[in-house]
Amino acid sequence: MTAAPFTHDSPGTPAEEWRRHPSWGTVPLLVPDGDVPCSRLVVVAAHPDDESLGAGGLIAAAHDAGTTPYVVLLTAGEASHPDSPTTTPQTLATRRLAEAREALEILAPGAPLVFLGLPDGRVEGAEAEVTASLVDLIGDGRSTLLLAPWRHDGHPDHEAAGRAAAAAAVRTGARLAEYPIWMWHARSVDEAPWGAMSRVDLDDEAARRKWLAVQSHTSQVEPLSDLPHDEVLLPGHVLAHFDSRVEHFVTGDGGADDALEVVHRADADPWGVDERWFELRKRQLTLAVLPRPRFRRALEVGCSRGALAHDLAGRCDELVAVDSSPSAVAAARRRLGHLAAVHVTHATVPTDWPEGAFDLVVVSEVGYFLSPIDLDLLAARIEGSLTEAGVVLLCHWRHPIEGWVLDGPEVHERLRTSPLLPPELARYRDPDVEICVLARSGHWPDPAR
């Protein structure tokens, strides 16, 4: 979808026209997915007032239901009046932050406001940092509802905030709902993604507090002065879009995280697997701890460019190697194409899973790139395809992983204590790497043979 030019003073699509559309207020209700209800609300705002306009009613309703909302404010909005003759960006930043705190106190008294301090207009350059901050705040997100500006809203800061939140949703397992702001003014009613939208119906109290919160952003809803370039940025015809008993969210797009694809696209060997003795030694250790000399059908989860798969192939009659990065898959196919028994597949595990049974599953340096809930699903996937004599091999870096919820030791602890998988029979550990072998004792090698 092409972004509309961002201007605050164009006539735009009237609010009345949106309300006449048959999908207005009739899309499905926003309800939490899964068995665990959403008991936590995290709201991302690119600028002060975004959260009030796009999700103020839901914030108020969540607070009244006993849920503490967390508002993560990316910028102070200091660039809203760049040519103002009466104020400076620094003064405006101070004012707008105060307005944001006042608005949040109206919506959810006592709720925390987390300010990241990014420069207004340049959120795109800090998307990775925003994602990492959100991941650190959310942690295991299976009971979290994450709200953020829509990734196609038409304002570059809104879209960057939405992309960062979408990546955080993948990494934490939080449910993502995106709120349009500029779309209501800049697009036509038929351009809205109605089929991917959900709604929240507001009671009178939530709607009242939302409107009060919006009005508290006085630097935006009132002119700074009567002089040119101090004009009101949210005039009445724009505010009319948000004076409603319903809020709409885009929920059908799902999360998206291309960090590993970016890494593989930028560097042919991002971890130096063909150059570093550490990597070569780690592969040799991995092969050495395998309890059998040969396996009938093996699966490597997260094969990257195929270095370990190349070595595993010599111990397997058949090997399926999967990765979520198209660039990694292409590199692995180039490396392994001459091996007829190796099949390299593009798949996002655990959502995607190859068919058939395996007597060896290798999870190496990939578990911490999964959300906690996806790691649990990975265990279930392995259980469903592991043979009775099957072996699960885990190999991960032992140091902290920035930007994701889990690290290597946490991945190993969760999987080796999972009731779905065989018990741990062997473990190798040094200062940098840990390798665990899960297998049933009756299928461990006999030292007498």
Side-chain angles (χ1 to χ4, degrees), residues 53 226 297 372 419:
L53 294 166
D226 294 333
R297 189 167 187 256

Side-chain angles (χ1 to χ4, degrees), residues 23 190 294 316 343 354 383 422:
S23 294
D190 292 328
R294 195 153 191 88
C316 304
H343 311 286
E383 181 207 28

Side-chain angles (χ1 to χ4, degrees), residues 394 408-418 427 434 436:
L394 313 174
E410 289 173 314
V411 169
H412 285 191
E413 183 63 20
R414 285 171 179 255
L415 292 181
R416 68 173 161 239
T417 60
S418 171
R427 185 191 310 180
E434 181 178 79
C436 303

Side-chain angles (χ1 to χ4, degrees), residues 229-298:
H229 307 298
D230 272 357
E231 69 276 7
V232 60
L233 291 188
L234 296 175
H237 69 280
V238 174
L239 291 180
H241 293 289
F242 308 99
D243 186 10
S244 171
R245 294 297 188 272
V246 63
E247 289 177 338
H248 291 84
F249 298 88
V250 180
T251 54
D253 288 351
D257 184 11
D258 65 351
L260 297 180
E261 167 60 15
V262 170
V263 167
H264 282 96
R265 196 166 54 230
D267 190 335
D269 189 5
W271 289 283
V273 296
D274 291 325
E275 300 175 358
R276 296 165 56 204
W277 164 242
F278 169 81
E279 293 292 339
L280 175 60
R281 173 179 173 272
K282 184 174 64 176
R283 292 199 296 276
Q284 291 175 342
L285 287 168
T286 298
L287 295 174
V289 299
L290 290 174
R292 294 199 292 277
R294 195 153 191 88
F295 295 84
R296 295 186 62 184
R297 189 167 187 256

Side-chain angles (χ1 to χ4, degrees), residues 138-406:
I138 296 169
D140 186 338
R142 70 185 78 204
S143 62
T144 297
L145 177 60
L146 175 61
L147 307 182
W150 185 37
R151 280 168 279 176
H152 306 288
D153 196 47
H155 188 296
D157 278 354
H158 295 178
E159 296 187 355
R163 290 191 297 268
V170 171
R171 298 183 193 184
T172 63
R175 185 184 180 192
L176 178 67
E178 302 171 75
Y179 55 87
I181 297 176
W182 189 240
M183 181 197 80
W184 303 116
H185 180 63
R187 298 189 186 279
S188 71
V189 295
D190 292 328
E191 291 180 284
W194 293 113
M197 297 186 83
S198 302
R199 78 180 198 274
V200 172
D201 294 333
L202 306 180
D203 61 24
D204 290 344
E205 175 61 13
R208 182 188 70 84
R209 298 219 305 274
K210 172 177 179 170
W211 190 245
L212 288 176
V214 169
Q215 294 299 318
S216 71
H217 295 278
T218 55
S219 65
Q220 308 299 296
V221 302
E222 298 174 4
L224 299 181
S225 77
D226 294 333
L227 297 177
H229 307 298
D230 272 357
E231 69 276 7
V232 60
L233 291 188
L234 296 175
H237 69 280
V238 174
L239 291 180
H241 293 289
F242 308 99
D243 186 10
S244 171
R245 294 297 188 272
V246 63
E247 289 177 338
H248 291 84
F249 298 88
V250 180
T251 54
D253 288 351
D257 184 11
D258 65 351
L260 297 180
E261 167 60 15
V262 170
V263 167
H264 282 96
R265 196 166 54 230
D267 190 335
D269 189 5
W271 289 283
V273 296
D274 291 325
E275 300 175 358
R276 296 165 56 204
W277 164 242
F278 169 81
E279 293 292 339
L280 175 60
R281 173 179 173 272
K282 184 174 64 176
R283 292 199 296 276
Q284 291 175 342
L285 287 168
T286 298
L287 295 174
V289 299
L290 290 174
R292 294 199 292 277
R294 195 153 191 88
F295 295 84
R296 295 186 62 184
R297 189 167 187 256
L299 169 66
E300 184 189 2
V301 177
C303 66
S304 186
R305 58 195 306 272
L308 179 57
H310 180 273
D311 295 344
L312 285 170
R315 302 276 295 272
C316 304
D317 296 338
E318 181 183 0
L319 173 64
V320 178
V322 302
D323 202 282
S324 63
S325 162
S327 295
V329 168
R333 285 173 174 167
R334 288 193 297 270
R335 184 184 196 123
L336 305 169
H338 66 289
L339 300 174
V342 178
H343 311 286
V344 181
T345 303
H346 177 251
T348 301
V349 170
T351 304
D352 304 324
W353 194 256
E355 295 181 354
F358 300 96
D359 60 346
L360 173 63
V361 176
V362 177
V363 182
S364 178
E365 307 292 14
V366 69
Y368 36 61
F369 295 132
L370 299 178
S371 69
I373 192 171
D374 276 347
L375 191 68
D376 291 346
L377 181 55
L378 174 64
R381 292 287 203 182
I382 294 173
E383 181 207 28
S385 60
L386 195 67
T387 65
E388 174 63 26
V391 174
V392 180
L393 187 142
L394 313 174
C395 175
H396 288 84
W397 177 250
R398 294 186 62 211
H399 301 291
I401 304 296
E402 299 296 332
W404 278 265
V405 177
L406 302 172

